Amino acid sequence: MAASSEYLTGGVNDVRLKPKLLRSLTRDLDETGDARSRAFTGEEIAKILEKIQVHGVLSEVLPEDCVGKKDEAKLRKEWRSAVDSWVERFLSLISDKMPQKCWAGTCLLGITIEKCTAERLIVSYAVWFEKLLQNIQASSNNHFVCEASYACLSDLFTRLSSFPSVKKGSTSFAGRLVQPILQLMDSDGPLMEVAIDLLCTFIKFYPSAIYRYYDKVEFALTSKISSVNSDMEILKKISGALALLPHAKGDSGSWFTIMQKLLFSINSLLNDIFQGLEEDGKGSEVMKLLISAGKEAPSSLVDQTKLSEGNLRATKRLRDIISPLLCSLIYSCCSMLTNPYPVQVALPVRALLSLIGRVLDVDGTLVSNTVLPSTTSLYQELLCSELPSFHSYILDLLIALIKGLKSQLLPHAASVVQPVTDFFRRATLPYIRAKVYYTLELLLHSMGVGMSLCLAEHVVGNASIDLDEGCESTCISKLAIEALLKNSAKKRKRGRLSSQSNGVEEETNNVIAGKKSTPLSLKIAALRAIDTLISVGGSVKSESWRLEVDRLLINVATRSFDVFTGKAGKYSCIEESTSSQEEYCLVALQALLASLLSPSHVRPPYLSQGLELFQKGKLETGTKVATLCEKALLSLEVLIHPRDIPLVNYPIPVAATVSTDEFGDEEMYHGWWVESDNENQLPGRENGDQSPKDLKKDEQPQLMEVDAEKSHSIEERREDNREAAALSTEPEKIESASDLQPQLNFGHAEPAVYQLPSQDLGTTNSEPTLSVSLNTVADSQSKGDTVEDRPSTSKDSDSDSQGSEPDIVWDDPDTDSEKSDANLEESDTD
């Protein structure tokens, strides 16, 4: 019978379990008797790795309740001894001549590098490195052992990078591996992939080890890119390594050279495949912007002669060689724009935007009357099948450019908006349209309210179509049609839009066709774009689209909530997974909340319906929808607080009727704080009660004195409210979207230096940084729209003076004007 001291008094939490379990795992690896030649299976190694991760048997860290006790030293010694035995065991396996055992020992070393203490790693990393290097250099080992060794080395050098005390030694070890990696670049398969991963680790954490081999590494990567035997995934990995290569030198010149070579190679490939499908001279325009006058063109990363060798047909060459190569080069540009870089770099923005516009303008139709020999009907069909991939990757490049430069892209805003919006009108594939929505969302975030004036009609018009379920009669506004039919002479009135409508151009038919099967991913992207539009520019010149968007969002939110809760009814035509439906409902409710909270000169027309919807969502306990609805109700409390000053009641048109059930909270919706039929009647008073105006002087409430200046500003805001109310009763006088759309000219100035996301801003290039003013767009659009001209809100009134609040609540400017008119008439009669 075992002694009582051998039992685990703490159960699974007893610290003595960890060294005991580790010794048990070590015994399982021991070779005894006939088991000496037994090979480890992948399942056995996976179970061992799982136990090590779950129980943390390699951490050698005692819990706080064991520190300071009499058996602390004994526990530490026992645990250290167990780890030592474990290390000796897997090192013996790595040295074994049997490949299966060598592979198993290498896998165990990998988990040890990840989980062991820092002290043990610093002491043992040199021995472990030599063991792995022997595996790589041994020609007898199979590719499984080499692949595991390279992956283990990548983990080792990654963790060593966080210890400055071993920086010098680890850099020296990294330099010994560069040459073997370059030799593996000539091979194909998984071994080359893990070698490239290790190369990327060296570039990131040990750039000095790559510096002396910089030219050789660049040549090896570019040669591999031109290889016709590489598939898309391997090409993307090689292109990613090429994008990181400038970090080995860390200067702006190396970064610009690689970017210039990439753009030059992409443009050359487009010249080959776009013959007859675009106007002549497009490639030359990009070259003029990319290469300064008098300078030589950079060397191409693509060997055009090698691509033309052999008897490959043009169609096979496009599908198997050019298409993956072009996409991988674009991917490399995206990586360079988004990866942090330690210094400021010169970026050819105009060349990039011209290249992006060149790809987005091609839709597969022939633009030349003379068909070139290479442009056969079969080639055109194949190119049309590859164009969505080109468009997707080029949109990724634009997204990376926006993320990298942010507001620094402001001087080139016109060059960004025009090709994207033109392409949006032609795009029909859901995943492409979703990516365009995301692009517009980034533009709104990075450039602010000025960009919202330019993109409002495009976002609203396209979203009105993409969010139309097709299960009921919905109203698409004149604005939605104008956004899609800019060149159409016919302007249709608001009403039901049918795919059979006469006079609608083919582009619009293509977009509207198939709207019944719109995937939720596209609808989510559209809702997020509308959410951003409302948040950024919902209060600036939004009269032409705001009411329609509010109506659209309450309908979409109601439908999505019904689908999520299983009460869809006639909306059951939406067939998606539960997680997708929940995400769709969350995004719809978030957009509705943004619509209700966005500043406006009118009261939110669907506030009561939105409050009821959030109240229902709050009851879905345990879901993300309930959490969002709880936060939404807290945010909306400011709009329904009794002290909130009433806004102008904007009448809801008949065409904008909400397609939901009748709501029970009629008192809230038609309550006292909205203009009622009896404008003089206030809450808490019946018809016989006296208003404060009818009280005697000594019964008047004690009001704080308000100076003349504040009183004057209050009167101005009252006048603004009366004008807004007049506008609400005459919607036909609102200007059209084209009249409200500002004609902006952002110019084409080429900044000299841009600041990408930086790792270390302590040292920068000596060249001056371009200072881009965020007021460029705002100033051009704020003329004639000063602060005094904007309608006031309740928040503005509350911030003026507490003493002015009773005066605003009780005095009715319309009633005062009527009384003054009556007094004038009496005086004339007298």
Side-chain angles (χ1 to χ4, degrees):
M1 185 174 180
S4 59
S5 60
E6 297 180 1
Y7 287 102
L8 301 174
T9 57
V12 70
N13 298 321
D14 198 320
V15 69
R16 293 178 297 174
L17 172 65
K18 300 181 185 297
K20 291 179 180 294
L21 180 59
L22 184 58
R23 289 191 180 276
S24 175
L25 295 175
T26 305
R27 286 194 299 269
D28 293 340
L29 297 175
D30 286 340
E31 301 171 342
T32 56
D34 296 336
R36 183 174 299 277
S37 60
R38 181 177 64 87
F40 295 96
T41 63
E43 184 178 356
E44 292 175 337
I45 298 300
K47 289 181 178 180
I48 294 175
L49 298 180
E50 182 182 3
K51 289 183 179 180
I52 291 174
Q53 290 179 335
V54 170
H55 295 280
V57 296
L58 296 175
S59 63
E60 300 184 54
V61 177
L62 295 178
E64 295 182 358
D65 56 354
C66 294
V67 177
K69 293 187 177 180
K70 60 180 181 179
D71 57 345
E72 177 187 356
K74 181 181 177 180
L75 284 175
R76 291 186 184 277
K77 183 178 179 180
E78 181 182 356
W79 201 347
R80 185 181 302 109
S81 176
V83 177
D84 291 339
S85 300
W86 167 262
V87 172
E88 292 177 1
R89 185 68 194 103
F90 70 69
L91 286 179
S92 65
L93 288 175
I94 294 176
S95 302
D96 199 289
K97 295 181 179 180
M98 185 179 293
Q100 290 82 356
K101 293 184 179 181
C102 183
W103 169 82
T106 305
C107 294
L108 298 177
L109 174 56
I111 191 64
T112 305
I113 291 172
E114 181 182 353
K115 299 298 182 181
C116 73
T117 61
E119 293 79 7
R120 183 175 293 274
L121 178 69
I122 293 175
V123 172
S124 307
Y125 81 93
V127 177
W128 296 347
F129 171 79
E130 294 296 340
K131 286 287 185 180
L132 294 172
L133 184 61
Q134 292 175 6
N135 285 347
I136 293 174
Q137 294 175 344
S139 57
S140 59
N141 286 337
N142 58 20
H143 68 279
F144 291 107
V145 176
C146 292
E147 184 179 349
S149 299
Y150 273 109
C152 192
L153 282 170
S154 181
D155 295 338
L156 176 62
F157 281 100
T158 300
R159 189 174 181 194
L160 286 175
S161 63
S162 59
F163 300 105
S165 60
V166 298
K167 187 72 172 180
K168 184 177 180 180
S170 57
T171 301
S172 177
F173 287 159
R176 295 169 58 184
L177 290 172
V178 176
Q179 197 64 35
I181 291 174
L182 294 179
Q183 294 175 358
L184 284 176
M185 295 293 292
D186 296 332
S187 62
D188 294 324
L191 191 58
M192 186 201 65
E193 295 184 42
V194 294
I196 292 177
D197 291 338
L198 182 58
L199 178 64
C200 293
T201 302
F202 290 163
I203 296 174
K204 290 179 182 177
F205 303 114
Y206 307 95
S208 58
I210 303 293
Y211 187 85
R212 56 182 295 193
Y213 299 100
Y214 186 90
D215 294 335
K216 292 182 179 180
V217 173
E218 181 181 353
F219 177 78
L221 292 174
T222 54
S223 300
K224 200 62 183 178
I225 287 177
S226 300
S227 175
V228 297
N229 299 324
S230 300
D231 60 9
M232 182 61 189
E233 293 302 321
I234 298 179
L235 279 173
K236 289 179 66 174
K237 184 162 291 190
I238 299 173
S239 300
L242 181 62
L244 287 174
L245 186 58
H247 290 253
K249 289 187 176 181
D251 59 343
S252 59
S254 302
W255 191 96
F256 181 80
T257 300
I258 296 296
M259 175 61 74
Q260 191 180 40
K261 289 181 178 180
L262 287 170
L263 297 180
F264 179 77
S265 303
I266 294 172
N267 193 59
S268 300
L269 289 175
L270 295 179
N271 292 337
D272 186 21
I273 64 178
F274 282 174
Q275 292 185 23
L277 302 177
E278 64 177 358
E279 298 178 357
D280 296 336
K282 286 295 185 71
S284 301
E285 294 177 3
V286 177
M287 290 299 298
K288 291 179 181 179
L289 296 173
L290 183 61
I291 304 173
S292 303
K295 293 187 177 181
E296 296 182 358
S299 59
S300 177
L301 300 177
V302 180
D303 190 352
Q304 296 287 349
T305 59
K306 191 174 182 179
L307 293 179
S308 303
E309 289 178 355
N311 298 323
L312 292 177
R313 298 191 306 271
T315 53
K316 183 176 178 59
R317 187 163 57 92
L318 173 64
R319 181 182 64 250
D320 299 339
I321 301 176
I322 297 181
S323 180
L325 180 58
L326 179 63
C327 295
S328 64
L329 293 178
I330 298 175
Y331 171 80
S332 184
C333 292
C334 297
S335 300
M336 292 188 68
L337 291 172
T338 54
N339 288 334
Y341 201 68
V343 298
Q344 296 174 349
V345 295
L347 180 63
V349 179
R350 296 178 62 189
L352 266 169
L353 294 177
S354 180
L355 187 66
I356 292 171
R358 181 185 182 186
V359 178
L360 293 180
D361 287 343
V362 175
D363 57 3
T365 59
L366 297 176
V367 298
S368 178
N369 295 328
T370 303
V371 180
L372 299 178
S374 60
T375 313
T376 62
S377 59
L378 182 60
Y379 180 85
Q380 184 186 16
E381 294 173 5
L382 181 60
L383 181 61
C384 290
S385 67
E386 297 291 337
L387 269 180
S389 298
F390 298 161
H391 291 156
S392 178
Y393 275 93
I394 210 69
L395 286 174
D396 289 337
L397 180 58
L398 179 58
I399 290 171
L401 183 64
I402 298 172
K403 288 182 177 180
L405 296 186
K406 298 181 176 64
S407 60
Q408 295 179 91
L409 196 58
L410 194 61
H412 308 276
S415 301
V416 177
V417 172
Q418 189 63 38
V420 173
T421 53
D422 290 344
F423 173 75
F424 204 7
R425 290 198 298 270
R426 301 191 307 269
T428 57
L429 296 179
Y431 82 98
I432 294 293
R433 291 182 63 83
K435 191 163 290 188
V436 177
Y437 277 122
Y438 181 60
T439 305
L440 299 181
E441 183 181 349
L442 289 178
L443 285 174
L444 291 170
H445 275 304
S446 60
M447 299 188 187
V449 65
M451 184 57 64
S452 67
L453 298 176
C454 302
L455 297 180
E457 68 173 60
H458 303 283
V459 174
V460 174
N462 286 278
S464 298
I465 296 175
D466 290 330
L467 294 174
D468 180 19
E469 297 289 353
C471 300
E472 65 171 49
S473 175
T474 57
C475 176
I476 298 180
S477 69
K478 174 182 175 181
L479 179 61
I481 300 176
E482 288 179 350
L484 296 172
L485 303 178
K486 271 190 170 182
N487 300 325
S488 177
K490 289 189 175 182
K491 299 292 183 70
R492 295 188 173 273
K493 297 180 180 180
R494 297 184 63 170
R496 182 176 181 179
L497 182 63
S498 172
S499 60
Q500 301 177 352
S501 299
N502 296 326
V504 180
E505 292 185 355
E506 184 178 358
E507 290 182 356
T508 308
N509 285 329
N510 292 335
V511 173
I512 299 177
K515 62 185 177 182
K516 294 184 179 181
S517 59
T518 303
L520 288 187
S521 59
L522 176 56
K523 295 180 179 180
I524 290 172
L527 284 172
R528 285 174 175 164
I530 287 185
D531 186 354
T532 304
L533 175 65
I534 293 176
S535 301
V536 173
S539 60
V540 180
K541 295 186 178 180
S542 59
E543 296 84 359
S544 59
W545 55 267
R546 183 63 185 273
L547 185 61
E548 178 188 353
V549 168
D550 293 340
R551 186 270 310 166
L552 177 67
L553 291 178
I554 187 63
N555 284 332
V556 170
T558 303
R559 288 197 298 263
S560 64
F561 181 78
D562 290 341
V563 172
F564 173 69
T565 56
K567 303 176 182 178
K570 58 183 177 179
Y571 308 115
S572 58
C573 58
I574 303 177
E575 298 180 359
E576 294 284 349
S577 62
T578 304
S579 59
S580 299
Q581 291 175 358
E582 183 178 16
E583 183 182 5
Y584 180 44
C585 184
L586 285 171
V587 176
L589 291 175
Q590 183 64 46
L592 176 62
L593 177 61
S595 172
L596 297 177
L597 293 177
S598 178
S600 178
H601 68 283
V602 297
R603 166 186 171 273
Y606 303 105
L607 178 59
S608 62
Q609 294 93 324
L611 289 171
E612 181 173 356
L613 191 59
F614 287 124
Q615 287 285 1
K616 292 180 180 179
K618 185 179 178 181
L619 301 179
E620 301 294 324
T621 308
T623 63
K624 295 180 181 179
V625 172
T627 304
L628 174 63
C629 291
E630 290 176 0
K631 296 180 180 179
L633 290 173
L634 291 176
S635 302
L636 292 172
E637 185 179 0
V638 66
L639 298 181
I640 59 176
H641 197 279
R643 293 183 67 252
D644 189 34
I645 300 175
L647 301 175
V648 178
N649 181 23
Y650 197 86
I652 304 176
V654 178
T657 303
V658 184
S659 58
T660 56
D661 298 334
E662 292 296 332
F663 297 94
D665 197 358
E666 295 294 337
E667 183 178 357
M668 181 189 301
Y669 187 52
H670 298 291
W672 64 270
W673 53 291
V674 186
E675 290 182 359
S676 59
D677 295 337
N678 187 357
E679 297 181 354
N680 294 328
Q681 184 174 340
L682 294 173
R685 290 190 289 113
E686 301 298 334
N687 293 334
D689 294 340
Q690 288 180 323
S691 68
K693 297 179 181 179
D694 299 330
L695 295 176
K696 296 180 181 179
K697 184 175 182 180
D698 56 338
E699 297 176 356
Q700 287 283 355
Q702 299 297 324
L703 304 180
M704 297 177 61
E705 294 184 0
V706 183
D707 55 39
E709 182 178 356
K710 291 185 178 180
S711 300
H712 181 67
S713 62
I714 293 173
E715 292 299 330
E716 288 182 349
R717 285 195 291 273
R718 289 174 181 168
E719 184 65 23
D720 291 339
N721 286 338
R722 286 196 294 270
E723 293 176 2
L727 280 175
S728 66
T729 59
E730 298 180 357
E732 65 276 2
K733 292 185 179 181
I734 297 179
E735 297 175 317
S736 63
S738 59
D739 296 333
L740 292 175
Q741 178 67 25
Q743 302 298 327
L744 301 181
N745 182 10
F746 293 95
H748 300 278
E750 179 69 20
V753 178
Y754 291 89
Q755 178 66 49
L756 294 178
S758 178
Q759 294 172 322
D760 182 13
L761 296 179
T763 59
T764 59
N765 196 306
S766 59
E767 296 179 3
T769 306
L770 175 69
S771 177
V772 181
S773 175
L774 295 177
N775 297 326
T776 304
V777 178
D779 293 342
S780 62
Q781 296 169 353
S782 61
K783 296 178 179 179
D785 186 18
T786 59
V787 176
E788 290 79 13
D789 295 332
R790 297 172 187 169
S792 63
T793 60
S794 60
K795 185 181 295 185
D796 296 332
S797 300
D798 288 340
S799 63
D800 285 340
S801 173
Q802 294 181 355
S804 62
E805 185 175 21
D807 194 28
I808 298 176
V809 171
W810 297 113
D811 287 349
D812 191 342
D814 294 336
T815 305
D816 292 342
S817 61
E818 292 175 1
K819 290 183 177 182
S820 61
D821 294 341
N823 293 335
L824 289 175
E825 291 179 0
E826 291 178 1
S827 61
D828 293 342
T829 304
D830 297 337

